Amino acid sequence: MLLKSPANPIVCAVPSLWWANRKVYNAAAFIKDDAYRLVFRAIGEDYISRLGMASSSDGVHFNIQELPVFKPVTKFETYGCEDPRITLIDDTYWMTYTAYDGLTARVALTSTRDFISWSERHILFPNWKEGRWVNPKQTVWNKAAAIFPEKISGKYRLFFGDDSIWEAESSDLIHWTAVKQPVLSPRDGYFDSSYIEMGPPPIRVDRGWLIIYHGISGRNDSRVYRLGAAIMDYHNPRITLWRSDLPILEPSELFEKVGKIDIIKGGMAKLRRLDDNDLQVMSQKGKLPQAVFCCGAIKEGDNIKVYYSGSDTVMCLASGSVKGITNTIKNS
């Protein structure tokens, strides 16, 4: 349903940048000042996540700024600021991201107009208890939040989650109340049978809201992250009008199957010790997860550009038509 760019991978780690010389991945995508922009997650020598920016005139060939635009400053993000999603509302860019303190990953929120000055950072759901990802201190993870670009029935909305996908609403974009009943959940027998995770911000299309999400089958060492899609009702985004039976994107290229993927056993600490040969051996033994992962997409007419990471290591591009993605939708 999506055609991968022959230029892939389009953005890679930069050896000369100490903060981005290991991995560049999981980027928000938007257009600003007539240029395509990616705000990406970068891993450097200290293996702490910072966010950088890359710009392009054609959406394919990107130039990376020399310094990060966002980095950890609070105690709840000591180990990194991860996986940004960005939504433009009026003249402000609202950015959700994952704040990681070394034990718990949590949804955080900030905003900016120029990507230089940022508003105060907030943890949105500090007492969340609905997910299955629990750290040794019994704190439940919550992440992968994406804000809708306009109010719905007088409220701002967002979807979040990396087990199921939940909804939250707000009157001011600062204070959010989550609904404990999931909007979307895993499905037995499908590519998203084990758990799902929210992708980029919802995109308004003719039939409602296009939701791109991550579907994962299996929880073992060889699990695979694929992209799925759903259409939610425009007036009530808790109502699902259509959901893809098959993934719209899945790993097929070597750089999507073999890389420095975060979810190996031992996490970042183990990744520090592994070289490319080690990863190849793990892949051959079926002990390396595979992943395409998307935090940003741009709709231009009927065309959609999906910016995704391959194996948590490089940034890639796939594109297609919205009608092509949703060509099996039934009238309702």
Side-chain angles (χ1 to χ4, degrees):
M1 297 182 184
L2 293 172
L3 180 64
K4 296 178 181 180
S5 171
N8 285 340
I10 60 171
V11 185
C12 301
V14 183
S16 62
L17 298 180
W18 69 268
W19 57 275
N21 60 10
R22 298 291 189 270
K23 307 203 293 176
V24 168
Y25 60 125
N26 297 3
F30 54 98
I31 294 176
K32 182 178 185 294
D33 300 330
D34 296 323
Y36 295 88
R37 311 279 182 167
L38 299 179
V39 172
F40 57 83
R41 177 181 176 185
I43 296 290
E45 296 172 0
D46 58 3
Y47 273 79
I48 291 176
S49 296
R50 297 169 178 83
L51 304 184
M53 179 176 281
S55 303
S56 169
S57 60
D58 62 5
V60 179
H61 303 92
F62 283 85
N63 296 312
I64 294 178
Q65 292 185 15
E66 185 175 355
L67 297 175
V69 296
F70 196 81
K71 56 188 178 182
V73 297
T74 68
K75 64 180 181 180
F76 52 77
E77 56 194 25
T78 307
Y79 280 77
C81 303
E82 307 173 353
D83 305 349
R85 279 94 167 162
I86 290 176
T87 300
L88 176 63
I89 298 177
D90 297 326
D91 60 352
T92 300
Y93 295 89
W94 293 86
M95 185 175 78
T96 56
Y97 65 99
T98 298
Y100 184 50
D101 63 5
L103 284 176
T104 309
R106 298 183 177 94
V107 173
L109 174 70
T110 186
S111 64
T112 185
R113 293 183 178 179
D114 55 12
F115 294 90
I116 298 172
S117 300
W118 298 86
S119 66
E120 184 179 354
R121 308 175 188 200
H122 301 270
I123 295 294
L124 295 191
F125 312 113
N127 300 311
W128 183 249
K129 301 183 184 301
E130 301 305 311
R132 286 186 286 180
W133 303 107
V134 183
N135 72 17
K137 291 188 177 181
Q138 300 302 302
T139 303
V140 180
W141 286 32
N142 64 89
K143 58 178 186 172
I147 299 173
F148 285 73
E150 60 187 74
K151 284 185 176 180
I152 302 171
S153 300
K155 296 283 187 179
Y156 297 105
R157 314 275 178 145
L158 65 74
F159 280 177
F160 73 102
D162 63 337
D163 175 4
S164 293
I165 293 176
W166 289 269
E167 182 194 32
E169 63 178 35
S170 172
S171 297
D172 59 7
L173 286 165
I174 302 296
H175 305 92
W176 293 85
T177 301
V179 179
K180 292 184 179 181
Q181 183 65 32
V183 174
L184 294 170
S185 296
R187 301 174 294 178
D188 290 339
Y190 289 85
F191 68 94
D192 50 10
S193 59
S194 291
Y195 57 103
I196 62 175
E197 182 172 356
M198 186 60 187
I203 297 171
R204 184 175 178 179
V205 296
D206 289 344
R207 294 300 304 275
W209 295 103
L210 172 62
I211 305 298
I212 297 173
Y213 67 92
H214 310 110
I216 299 88
S217 57
R219 290 178 178 265
N220 55 22
D221 293 344
S222 59
R223 78 189 77 168
V224 180
Y225 280 65
R226 301 175 175 91
L227 296 188
I231 298 290
M232 315 304 285
D233 184 79
Y234 176 68
H235 298 288
N236 183 359
R238 295 189 59 81
I239 297 174
T240 304
L241 302 180
W242 168 87
R243 187 170 173 182
S244 57
D245 291 337
L246 298 174
I248 63 171
L249 195 75
E250 60 185 343
S252 62
E253 305 299 324
L254 182 63
F255 50 80
E256 299 164 349
K257 294 182 175 182
V258 180
K260 301 170 185 175
I261 190 162
D262 294 355
I263 55 175
I264 64 169
K265 288 184 178 178
M268 290 292 187
K270 184 173 182 179
L271 280 179
R272 288 173 180 258
R273 306 191 299 268
L274 299 177
D275 59 24
D276 290 343
N277 184 65
D278 295 326
L279 295 170
Q280 289 280 0
V281 171
M282 290 176 64
S283 177
Q284 292 166 5
K285 293 182 177 180
K287 294 185 177 181
L288 189 69
Q290 302 175 15
V292 293
F293 194 96
C294 177
C295 294
I298 296 173
K299 181 178 178 291
E300 299 174 301
D302 184 55
N303 186 65
I304 186 169
K305 286 184 169 68
V306 173
Y307 291 92
Y308 69 96
S309 64
S311 198
D312 285 354
T313 305
V314 294
M315 283 303 305
C316 305
L317 169 65
S319 60
S321 72
V322 173
K323 291 179 182 178
I325 293 174
T326 62
N327 62 2
T328 60
I329 189 169
K330 296 181 176 62
N331 292 326
S332 59

